[in-house]
Amino acid sequence: MTPILLLILGIIIRNDAGLSGYYSSLRYPVADTVTRDTTLPNTELRSYWSINLDAKQPGYQIQTDNNLQLSTASLTDYLNFACTVPLNQVLNFATGVDGEVCYYHHYLPLLADTTLRNSYLNAKLSAGLQYRLNDRLTISARDNLEHQHYLPVDSFYYNYYLNRAKLGFDAQLSELSTLTLECGLNRLWTRTQPGQNYTESSLYLNWNVYPGTDWNLQFDNSLTRRSYPEKTRSYLELNPALVISRNFGSALELSLNASPRMNLFDETTTVYQNQITSQLGMECQLQPSNGLTLRAGPQTELLRSLDRISSQDYHEISLSLAIELVRSARFWITAENRYGIRRYLLNDSALQSDYRFNEFNLYSTWKITNLPPGELSLELMLNIAPEWHSEAIDNLAALTSSLQLRYRW
């Protein structure tokens, strides 16, 4: 009787519960006569329960969810409430409240890593308006106020207030072209660490166009200006990106992407330097059969200091290979591998040395059962990233893995 009543009232309730395990390790040599290598492990076992409630009526829409997590490191509860009210046929009002409490209990020190983690409270309040001028143009304005409070505070974990305001325009230029323009203003304020206060203004542009049925062109550009009390930390960042793709039927697609980024500081130091980072890559995607996708392509990346050559300048080339396999709606697996070489311009620097790297990622989901009243699934994530340096003392081996058993009803 209760599910029928909820359905009549337009209320949908979903539950999500699970158990997960997380393990990561970082292994590197140590230059002394006692210990030749060091491993920093981090293991965490976690259980969680999440409940989501949606209520839709002609005059409003409410969404709320609560996520409770208990792990070997912490107890965390996250609560979200969002409400949308149409004021008239073209104007909508939306507001929301987010709250999160995280307490690190330190009851199992053998499973904890060496990272200092402080308990905290986080709260966010947001409100916004969306005005649909016509079928082709929508204007939106939104403001978000966030407060972060640590228990206890120190020089690294400091309390702050962060306000984010944004004004956006979404336009349908034609049947095959869209344009998005967003202007933002962010301000962070903290009483105990005034040097961390900043004011940030940003401008974002996205243009997406389909010149033909087989072509797609996407251009993004973001301009950010952040000002700190200290000029050496204040900077201007420009980050354009271009993606061009061509579809050769249902089985083959080629894409080319370029993404330069420039950072200009008000005053340069040995740490904060004017730099440009550029990435250029090409990818070929092949679908030889239904449910099987292959991706491969080269990528090059370089970093250059604009004022003078520094120890951070490098040139990197790599090759990526990936395979994605989908078996019906119950099994999905993706494996990615990227092998490359990074060379520094000042290889004699004591801070950096040339190295080869191999990044391997594996993601998999298996729906064990998908029958009423619920769904049981197993999710796996694995990341292995070793580095082999010309200076053996800089060698690095990183491993991250997680396994999660989820039940949704």
Side-chain angles (χ1 to χ4, degrees):
M1 183 64 182
T2 302
I4 298 177
L5 179 60
L6 294 176
L7 186 61
I8 295 175
L9 296 176
I11 299 176
I12 300 176
I13 298 178
R14 294 185 298 271
N15 291 270
D16 204 349
L19 299 171
S20 65
Y22 170 85
Y23 174 80
S24 68
S25 67
L26 186 65
R27 183 180 179 127
Y28 58 93
V30 176
D32 60 30
T33 57
V34 180
T35 306
R36 293 308 305 162
D37 60 75
T38 298
T39 300
L40 298 179
N42 180 20
T43 304
E44 186 173 356
L45 302 177
R46 180 187 300 116
S47 63
Y48 73 92
W49 173 48
S50 178
I51 180 171
N52 177 274
L53 184 147
D54 290 338
K56 294 183 179 180
Q57 294 293 335
Y60 64 88
Q61 178 179 343
I62 295 176
Q63 180 180 6
T64 180
D65 59 86
N66 188 83
N67 182 272
L68 178 64
Q69 296 187 15
L70 175 62
S71 76
T72 53
S74 64
L75 173 65
T76 306
D77 187 71
Y78 171 79
L79 175 64
N80 168 264
F81 174 83
C83 178
T84 302
V85 179
L87 302 180
N88 53 45
Q89 294 182 349
V90 296
L91 186 63
N92 289 338
F93 172 75
T95 185
V97 179
D98 295 70
E100 183 178 10
V101 180
C102 181
Y103 170 67
Y104 290 97
H105 49 69
H106 305 292
Y107 289 150
L108 300 171
L110 293 179
L111 296 180
D113 63 1
T114 57
T115 304
L116 177 62
R117 294 181 288 189
N118 287 13
S119 303
Y120 63 85
L121 308 173
N122 182 273
K124 297 177 184 177
L125 176 64
S126 63
L129 290 172
Q130 185 183 71
Y131 178 62
R132 189 174 181 84
L133 187 63
N134 51 49
D135 293 338
R136 292 183 174 271
L137 180 61
T138 301
I139 304 174
S140 60
R142 192 169 186 86
D143 190 76
N144 181 294
L145 178 62
E146 175 184 356
H147 176 55
Q148 180 81 10
H149 186 82
Y150 287 100
L151 302 168
V153 297
D154 54 37
S155 58
F156 185 79
Y157 295 97
Y158 52 87
N159 302 336
Y160 64 82
Y161 290 91
L162 177 59
N163 189 82
R164 304 181 183 94
K166 182 178 293 185
L167 179 65
F169 303 86
D170 291 286
Q172 183 80 32
L173 302 181
S174 66
E175 296 299 327
L176 300 176
S177 179
T178 61
L179 180 68
T180 298
L181 179 64
E182 294 180 347
C183 308
L185 179 62
N186 304 332
R187 298 195 65 179
L188 183 141
W189 179 83
T190 172
R191 183 178 62 85
T192 58
Q193 301 288 331
Q196 302 293 343
N197 297 342
Y198 68 78
T199 300
E200 179 183 271
S201 55
S202 62
L203 181 65
Y204 172 76
L205 172 69
N206 171 268
W207 179 49
N208 201 344
V209 61
Y210 292 86
T213 57
D214 300 328
W215 288 90
N216 175 238
L217 172 65
Q218 181 172 326
F219 174 74
D220 293 89
N221 191 20
S222 62
L223 179 64
T224 303
R225 166 63 179 173
R226 179 177 290 191
S227 299
Y228 288 93
E230 186 179 354
K231 286 188 175 182
T232 55
R233 298 184 60 193
S234 302
Y235 64 87
L236 177 70
E237 181 179 280
L238 179 65
N239 189 11
L242 177 66
V243 178
I244 304 174
S245 61
R246 171 71 190 276
N247 194 332
F248 296 88
S250 59
L252 178 63
E253 181 179 343
L254 294 178
S255 63
L256 177 69
N257 63 83
S259 177
R261 184 178 71 250
M262 181 181 296
N263 291 89
L264 301 174
F265 290 89
D266 290 6
E267 294 182 4
T268 59
T269 64
T270 55
V271 177
Y272 302 107
Q273 300 182 28
N274 297 333
Q275 295 176 335
I276 181 170
T277 306
S278 180
Q279 291 183 344
L280 179 64
M282 184 174 65
E283 184 180 80
C284 174
Q285 179 173 293
L286 182 65
Q287 291 182 305
S289 63
N290 188 23
L292 177 62
T293 302
L294 304 174
R295 295 189 300 273
Q299 178 177 299
T300 179
E301 178 179 329
L302 61 86
L303 185 148
R304 292 292 185 271
S305 299
L306 300 181
D307 301 325
R308 60 185 181 276
I309 297 177
S310 72
S311 60
Q312 303 177 46
D313 297 355
Y314 66 83
H315 183 209
E316 177 182 297
I317 56 174
S318 62
L319 177 64
S320 297
L321 301 173
I323 179 172
E324 182 175 343
L325 180 62
V326 179
R327 291 301 184 191
S328 67
R330 297 189 58 182
F331 182 76
W332 167 79
I333 184 171
T334 295
E336 303 174 346
N337 193 82
R338 189 169 77 99
Y339 177 82
I341 300 175
R342 175 177 291 192
R343 299 189 182 280
Y344 289 90
L345 267 64
L346 297 179
N347 195 32
D348 58 347
S349 171
L351 301 176
Q352 306 287 358
S353 62
D354 298 344
Y355 64 89
R356 294 175 293 113
F357 63 88
N358 192 87
E359 299 174 357
F360 176 77
N361 295 283
L362 178 67
Y363 309 94
S364 179
T365 298
W366 174 33
K367 293 184 180 180
I368 303 174
T369 62
N370 192 17
L371 299 174
E375 170 189 295
L376 182 65
S377 61
L378 187 66
E379 300 176 358
L380 170 67
M381 186 278 292
L382 175 66
N383 171 263
I384 304 174
E387 295 178 2
W388 302 276
H389 288 251
S390 58
E391 298 289 340
I393 196 66
D394 296 331
N395 288 350
L396 179 69
L399 168 67
T400 302
S401 62
S402 68
L403 185 65
Q404 177 172 276
L405 185 64
R406 169 183 292 182
Y407 183 67
R408 179 176 298 172
W409 72 100

